[in-house]
Amino acid sequence: MINSYNPCNLCPHNCNSDRFSSTSGKCCSSAEMRIASYQPHFGEEPELVGSGGSGTIFFSGCSLRCVFCQNYEISHEGRGEVISSDELVDIIFELQDYGCNNINFVTPTHYGPTIAAAIEQAKLNGLNIPTVWNSSCYEKVETLKSLEGLIDIYMPDIKFVKTENSSIYTIADNYFEFASKAVLEMYRQVGDLHTVNGRAVSGMLVRHLVLPNNQGDTRAIIDFIADNVGTQTYLNLLDQYHPAYKALSISPLNKYLEPGEFEEYVDYARSRGFKSPDYIYRSL
Ligand code: SF4
């Protein structure tokens, strides 16, 4: 599967580039895996954090490249250091030995084959905590299928429905065309979020960051999940947006949510049948 890097068509951009010799793909990432950091993280959903934290591994580069990215030095500029698949396995066990509740791969899509190989190796050698695929959801179904059985928890952050938004806020004008299919494939593989003693062990957790004046995208995403996955879905609406990076000069992204704007969407999610406020957390 490592050969998927040449030609690389791992994500919907279908760059067809040779990542062994260049960074010309839209993720600007070579086949050498690069990470920015790894650590126990206590700012994720409570079901992921538990007492030992979520063992997050932040990958450099990104195939979506949102203009409001708060980690743009990592995702857009590629800051980080190169590690091998074996070193990733070592990191996985370091986080497990520390007591983390899971291994949380953040922005993993463009390194999918290397991560999959590392998970396979780690599982053979004693990995016994869940794996989390923490992605933008701009993914191809066939790439996700190659992860089946290796990922225990999918955590897609569904961002847009309207093409006019994704085309100016990201480098993927066809975002929802692919994200809508990707989330259904994730759900097919793992189903609803399942917890044991309050800790997530498998399933799907959907995130959505509410943007200022988002022109219907949030309602459309709530509707899509309700109608196609179900209102039992763990849906986490995020209210933590703040202007950053290129969004500082793009209206309406250059402002915070208006008072009451976020609550309007929480109310709408409840009106659609998302049954418990426990499914909707305000902040991470
Ligand atoms: S992973 Fe990168 S190089 Fe491969 S198709 Fe996606 S953007 Fe292009």
Side-chain angles (χ1 to χ4, degrees):
M1 195 157 58
I2 297 291
N3 286 336
S4 304
Y5 293 127
N6 179 27
C8 184
N9 293 299
L10 283 171
C11 82
H13 286 305
N14 290 321
C15 299
N16 220 27
S17 61
D18 177 3
R19 289 176 57 192
F20 290 111
S21 61
S22 80
T23 57
S24 60
K26 291 200 171 181
C27 59
C28 301
S29 303
S30 75
E32 288 187 314
M33 184 168 56
R34 193 175 283 270
I35 67 166
S37 65
Y38 66 94
Q39 67 264 315
H41 186 38
F42 293 86
E44 307 281 49
E45 286 78 352
E47 290 82 354
L48 295 178
V49 170
S51 57
S54 179
T56 47
I57 304 171
F58 289 88
F59 292 91
S60 309
C62 180
S63 56
L64 193 58
R65 301 164 75 83
C66 301
V67 296
F68 50 84
C69 184
Q70 292 165 12
N71 295 316
Y72 67 91
E73 300 97 333
I74 300 168
S75 58
H76 288 239
E77 297 173 0
R79 195 171 298 177
E81 65 178 79
V82 172
I83 62 164
S84 67
S85 179
D86 286 345
E87 287 170 322
L88 180 59
V89 175
D90 291 342
I91 288 170
I92 288 171
F93 282 115
E94 189 179 331
L95 292 168
Q96 176 171 277
D97 292 345
Y98 182 86
C100 291
N101 285 304
N102 45 64
I103 304 298
N104 186 342
F105 301 97
V106 185
T107 318
T109 305
H110 51 299
Y111 295 124
T114 314
I115 295 170
I119 294 173
E120 277 183 293
Q121 192 181 336
K123 283 187 181 266
L124 284 173
N125 288 284
L127 175 66
N128 57 18
I129 54 176
T131 52
V132 183
W133 190 260
N134 183 344
S135 79
S136 71
C137 206
Y138 187 57
E139 312 197 70
K140 289 166 73 171
V141 166
E142 51 265 48
T143 301
L144 292 171
K145 282 184 188 295
S146 69
L147 300 168
E148 188 162 8
L150 297 173
I151 298 299
D152 300 301
I153 298 168
Y154 280 105
M155 188 157 60
D157 181 351
I158 307 181
K159 295 175 182 294
F160 312 98
V161 169
K162 292 186 174 180
T163 299
E164 57 257 47
N165 286 341
S166 62
S167 63
I168 58 173
Y169 296 160
T170 75
I171 57 170
D173 56 1
N174 57 2
Y175 175 80
F176 190 68
E177 175 190 344
F178 284 89
S180 56
K181 294 176 186 141
V183 74
L184 296 181
E185 170 60 19
M186 293 174 183
Y187 186 68
R188 182 195 70 76
Q189 288 185 26
V190 297
D192 293 317
L193 194 71
H194 178 56
T195 61
V196 174
N197 297 326
R199 288 165 51 174
V201 294
S202 65
M204 184 171 75
L205 188 167
V206 176
R207 285 176 168 175
H208 169 63
L209 175 66
V210 178
L211 298 177
N213 187 19
N214 70 22
Q215 300 152 30
D217 268 351
T218 296
R219 283 177 182 251
I221 287 166
I222 291 169
D223 287 341
F224 177 80
I225 297 298
D227 295 340
N228 295 280
V229 185
T231 55
Q232 76 292 341
T233 304
Y234 188 125
L235 173 65
N236 189 1
L237 300 179
L238 305 175
D239 74 343
Q240 68 213 56
Y241 178 81
H242 65 267
Y245 192 43
K246 294 178 182 172
L248 290 167
S249 58
I250 299 175
S251 177
L253 295 184
N254 56 352
K255 62 179 185 178
Y256 290 82
L257 297 181
E258 298 285 344
E261 196 171 0
F262 180 76
E263 288 73 15
E264 174 191 328
Y265 296 117
V266 172
D267 290 345
Y268 184 68
R270 288 179 180 149
S271 76
R272 278 305 323 258
F274 288 90
K275 296 193 173 47
S276 166
D278 291 344
Y279 286 114
I280 301 168
Y281 290 97
R282 294 263 175 122
S283 299
L284 294 180

